[in-house]
Amino acid sequence: MNIFIYGDNVDTDAIIPARYLYTSVPSELSRYCFIDFDENYSKAAQNGDIIFAGENFGCGSSREHAPLAIKESGISAVVAKSFARIFYRNAINIGLPILECPAAVSAVRPDSTVSLDLASGEIIVDGTRFSAAPMPDFIRRIISAGGLLESIARGGSHA
């Protein structure tokens, strides 16, 4: 598992530059995820990887393409000190797990061993336990279904 560590105020244009918004096909978007921001990302990202980031991750425009590109590139979760509000909602809508935990972000290193439990909000970094607010059941159902539309299609309740 790779761990990608980013700082504060990573905006949606750094995640998926506007010039690649001609498509909403997830596999196409993933090819350009972080293309101008982290030249190693597209070569290194694989299923199960985790992004750790600073404050205000996903700020900028309200494009749903940003969390979709991240999810499609194999990222299993994003842990940040805080998220831009619209990115937080868009991540849930497309089924990308996200957790806010400043202490875990401060503790993680590129070679750390990390595990996450979305139900409890527990994040373990190199054997040290951190607590994020656990995701409510209805959000976990949306995420496990693959996003809001998929959850609705399956007859899920969201209240």
Side-chain angles (χ1 to χ4, degrees):
M1 168 182 31
N2 293 312
I3 296 172
F4 297 92
I5 302 173
Y6 301 127
D8 296 339
N9 301 309
V10 175
D11 66 23
T12 54
D13 203 49
I15 297 168
I16 184 73
R19 68 184 180 275
Y20 299 110
L21 298 181
Y22 60 84
T23 183
S24 59
V25 176
S27 60
E28 279 289 307
L29 291 172
S30 71
R31 291 180 30 208
Y32 306 114
C33 191
F34 293 112
I35 195 165
D36 296 334
F37 185 74
D38 179 351
E39 64 185 36
N40 296 316
Y41 181 85
S42 66
K43 295 175 213 139
Q46 54 191 330
N47 288 336
D49 290 351
I50 301 172
I51 292 174
F52 282 81
E55 300 282 348
N56 203 27
F57 185 81
C59 58
S61 68
S62 64
R63 61 184 75 148
E64 199 169 74
H65 295 72
L68 188 57
I70 291 170
K71 178 184 174 188
E72 187 65 21
S73 66
I75 298 301
S76 63
V78 179
V79 179
K81 290 184 178 180
S82 68
F83 291 93
R85 200 166 101 183
I86 192 71
F87 181 90
Y88 188 93
R89 187 64 233 179
N90 283 338
I92 291 167
N93 285 347
I94 61 93
L96 176 66
I98 53 177
L99 293 168
E100 289 186 351
C101 189
V105 172
S106 295
V108 76
R109 302 290 172 255
D111 61 347
S112 289
T113 300
V114 174
S115 67
L116 305 174
D117 183 337
L118 297 176
S120 69
E122 181 178 74
I123 303 165
I124 302 173
V125 177
D126 296 325
T128 302
R129 296 177 190 277
F130 299 95
S131 293
M135 294 184 139
D137 289 342
F138 79 96
I139 290 178
R140 283 198 325 272
R141 285 193 301 272
I142 291 170
I143 300 240
S144 76
L148 183 60
L149 294 178
E150 290 82 1
S151 179
I152 291 169
R154 294 180 187 179
S157 170
H158 308 291

